[in-house]
Amino acid sequence: MTSVTPLSRPATMASALRTLYFVRFGFAVVWAILVAVTATAITPLVAVLLVIYPVFDAIAAVIDHRASRGTRSSALLYVNMSLSALAAIGLAFAATSGRSAVLLVWGLWAIAAGAVQLIVAVARRSLGGQWPMILSGGISVLAGLAFALQSGGASASLVGVAGYATLGGVFFLVSALRLRRTARTDSTQQTDNNR
C-alpha cells in the first residue's frame, strides 16, 4: 500500500503562488479596461480605481507572504506591503491635484515596487516560474521612470497606467503557467518517493 504525504514546501508554495498569480492577472486586466475606458479625466470613479490598484497589491503581498513564510523572500514582502499602502495614500491625495501628480506618485511606486519584485523573484529562482517576475520587476522600474518623466510634460495621460497593469498581468499569467510545472513535478517526485 502506498502512503501519500502532503505536498512538499516548494510544491505547496508554488501552488499558492500560482493561484494568486492567476487572480492578479484577472484583476489587472479588468482594472486596466476600466481605467482605459474612464480615464479621460480624474473623476471620483477614476480616483477610486487608482487607489484600488495599490490596495489590491498590498493584499496580494499579504497572501504572498503567508504562502512564502519562512523563506528569504518573505521579509521583503513587508516592504512591498508598506510601499503599496503608501502609494494608495499618495494616489488618493495626488488625484485631487491632477494627472501629473498621479503619474509622479505612480511612477515612484512602480520604481520601488518593481525593484522589490525583482529582488524577490531572483531569491525565488529555485522555485521555478520566476523569470517572468524578474522581467516584470525590471520593466516596472523602467516604466516607473517613464511615468515620472511624463508627469512633467503637457502630454500626461493615465492610459499608460492601464497598459502597465495589463503587461504586469500578462507576466503574472505566464509565471502562473510556469509554476504549474513546479507544483506538478514536485508532487510527482513526492509520490514516487513514497512508493
Side-chain angles (χ1 to χ4, degrees), residues 166-179:
T166 302
L167 183 60
V170 168
F171 279 119
F172 277 114
L173 176 62
V174 172
S175 188
L177 294 172
R178 293 180 61 88
L179 278 170

Side-chain angles (χ1 to χ4, degrees), residues 16-26 64 124 129-130 133 169 171-173 175-176 179:
L17 290 178
R18 185 171 171 260
T19 301
L20 176 62
Y21 290 175
F22 277 129
V23 171
R24 291 195 73 161
F25 164 71
D64 191 335
R124 289 179 173 169
Q130 294 304 300
M133 295 294 90
F171 279 119
F172 277 114
L173 176 62
S175 188
L179 278 170

Side-chain angles (χ1 to χ4, degrees), residues 3 17 35 43 58 61-62 77-78 108 115 117 148 156-157 189 191 193:
S3 67
L17 290 178
V35 168
T43 62
V62 170
L77 293 170
Y78 284 119
L108 295 174
Q117 182 181 17
S157 169
Q189 288 173 350
T191 304
N193 289 340

Side-chain angles (χ1 to χ4, degrees), residues 24 31 50-58 79-88 91 103-115 140-141 144 164:
R24 291 195 73 161
W31 183 90
L50 290 169
V51 171
I52 284 175
Y53 196 90
V55 167
F56 181 83
D57 192 69
V79 175
N80 193 33
M81 291 176 219
S82 301
L83 288 171
S84 295
L86 288 172
L91 286 166
L103 285 174
L104 180 61
V105 172
W106 192 280
L108 295 174
W109 174 50
I111 292 167
S140 183
V141 170
Y164 168 83

Side-chain angles (χ1 to χ4, degrees), residues 45-184:
L45 173 62
V46 171
V48 168
L49 286 170
L50 290 169
V51 171
I52 284 175
Y53 196 90
V55 167
F56 181 83
D57 192 69
I59 292 167
V62 170
I63 295 167
D64 191 335
H65 179 268
R66 288 182 180 162
S68 60
R69 195 172 297 160
T71 64
R72 290 181 296 164
S73 61
S74 68
L76 280 171
L77 293 170
Y78 284 119
V79 175
N80 193 33
M81 291 176 219
S82 301
L83 288 171
S84 295
L86 288 172
I89 294 166
L91 286 166
F93 285 108
T96 64
S97 299
R99 278 182 242 165
S100 292
V102 167
L103 285 174
L104 180 61
V105 172
W106 192 280
L108 295 174
W109 174 50
I111 292 167
V116 171
Q117 182 181 17
L118 179 63
I119 294 166
V120 168
V122 167
R124 289 179 173 169
R125 272 189 332 242
S126 63
L127 183 64
Q130 294 304 300
W131 280 108
M133 295 294 90
I134 290 169
L135 290 171
S136 180
I139 290 171
S140 183
V141 170
L142 296 175
L145 286 169
F147 288 133
L149 292 172
Q150 184 187 9
S151 72
S155 64
S157 169
L158 297 179
V159 175
V161 299
Y164 168 83
T166 302
L167 183 60
V170 168
F171 279 119
F172 277 114
L173 176 62
V174 172
S175 188
L177 294 172
R178 293 180 61 88
L179 278 170
R180 179 185 345 184
R181 292 183 197 143
T182 301
R184 189 182 309 145

